[in-house]
Amino acid sequence: MTELAKAQLIQLDDDFKKEKPGGEKVSVQFNPETLKVTFANQLVQPQGGDQAAGNTGRQFVGAGTTKLALTLWFDVTAMTEDAVDDVRRLTQKVIFFMTPTPDKADAKKMVPPATRFVWGSFLFDGIVEGLEESLEFFGTDGKPLRAQVSLTIGQQKILTSEFKGDGKVPSSPGQKPMSQAKQGDTAQSMAAKNGQSDWKGMAAANGIEDPLRLSPGQLIDVRAGAGAGIGFSAGANIQPPSITPPKFSASASVKIN
């Protein structure tokens, strides 16, 4: 069984090229339900044009931006290992990526950590621009046990995703595209809907005993048996005709006068 991939927040070096040695790395407790990616262009006001008439001339853009918004959940009551008594012990690891630190080039300036959010094949590098934490469940001693953390990560460019290969999913044994029969469907009508002419071969390949009466909801592989049912009726048992060879006599009768 394939192990569930966990989303992670990883601290990068200052040039956003690789993971920072000894930097922070946090695996989320629960994977987010959705990832919202927003693209925006920075519009530059053109010079000239009749603005009073609504004509502002040709539009130009500056650097584009891409933002990622997601929500993470933390719940100490759901922890089975290394349980803690306060959910903020977990969320403070996420808040780290929002906390500015002195810049190496100029100690008087504060910069937030370079951050990478990665989940499976999805990767987003940027800076945490906003964070909102909601404490939603409390124990009898008043300690928060559950929290919702909303993050916004931004980068100063338009994000382009890169993929390897053609992206086609290899076929697996036992996995076939199935179509569901509706009320009144027949093997012939289902084959026609899917561009198949050999409905007899399809019926035979699917083990359909009565091609004129399909059960509503019945799953059928409409591509099965294509070209294999010519001159064949589903459920029929056709045997080649038996041929009896002619009998010949090897004896001869000769009459001598």
Side-chain angles (χ1 to χ4, degrees):
M1 183 175 182
T2 305
E3 185 178 355
L4 177 67
K6 284 282 190 176
Q8 290 183 317
L9 291 168
I10 302 172
Q11 185 180 4
L12 303 178
D13 56 14
D14 294 339
D15 57 4
F16 293 87
K17 291 184 178 180
K18 59 182 179 180
E19 296 183 21
K20 183 176 181 179
E24 292 291 328
K25 180 184 292 188
V26 177
S27 296
V28 303
Q29 187 178 11
F30 302 102
N31 285 330
E33 294 183 354
T34 58
L35 299 176
K36 182 179 180 180
V37 182
T38 305
F39 304 88
N41 278 324
Q42 180 184 2
L43 297 180
V44 178
Q45 183 66 38
Q47 298 295 326
D50 187 2
Q51 297 185 5
N55 180 15
T56 59
R58 189 177 181 182
Q59 295 290 319
F60 298 91
V61 296
T65 60
T66 308
K67 297 183 185 295
L68 169 67
L70 65 143
T71 300
L72 302 176
W73 286 91
F74 296 89
D75 188 348
V76 299
T77 64
M79 299 180 67
T80 57
E81 297 180 0
D82 301 325
V84 295
D85 61 345
D86 192 319
V87 73
R88 291 172 296 178
R89 295 182 183 270
L90 305 178
T91 59
Q92 69 179 355
K93 298 178 181 179
V94 178
I95 296 175
F96 164 83
F97 293 94
M98 181 73 183
T99 307
T101 56
D103 187 10
K104 290 182 178 180
D106 188 351
K108 295 181 180 179
K109 295 182 179 180
M110 305 292 286
V111 293
T115 303
R116 168 173 292 172
F117 174 84
V118 58
W119 183 15
S121 63
F122 183 89
L123 186 147
F124 190 97
D125 295 340
I127 292 176
V128 178
E129 298 180 350
L131 185 150
E132 183 179 21
E133 179 181 25
S134 300
L135 304 175
E136 302 188 355
F137 183 66
F138 296 83
T140 56
D141 55 358
K143 292 181 179 180
L145 305 179
R146 185 182 302 149
Q148 175 184 340
V149 179
S150 299
L151 285 174
T152 302
I153 306 174
Q155 58 176 247
Q156 296 299 315
K157 64 179 181 179
I158 299 296
L159 175 68
T160 56
S161 300
E162 296 182 0
F163 305 98
K164 296 181 180 180
D166 57 11
K168 294 183 179 180
V169 179
S171 58
S172 301
Q175 295 182 356
K176 296 181 179 179
M178 308 295 281
S179 298
Q180 191 175 50
K182 298 180 180 179
Q183 183 71 36
D185 274 346
T186 65
Q188 186 174 11
S189 66
M190 289 196 66
K193 290 178 185 178
N194 293 274
Q196 302 291 346
S197 59
D198 183 16
W199 64 270
K200 295 181 180 180
M202 182 197 76
N206 283 274
I208 300 174
E209 296 183 358
D210 189 349
L212 300 179
R213 295 179 178 84
L214 299 181
S215 301
Q218 184 176 354
L219 296 178
I220 298 177
D221 182 3
V222 296
R223 294 190 293 184
I230 299 176
F232 178 82
S233 292
N237 185 15
I238 301 177
Q239 299 289 340
S242 59
I243 300 176
T244 303
K247 295 182 179 181
F248 297 94
S249 176
S251 62
S253 176
V254 180
K255 184 178 180 181
I256 299 176
N257 294 325

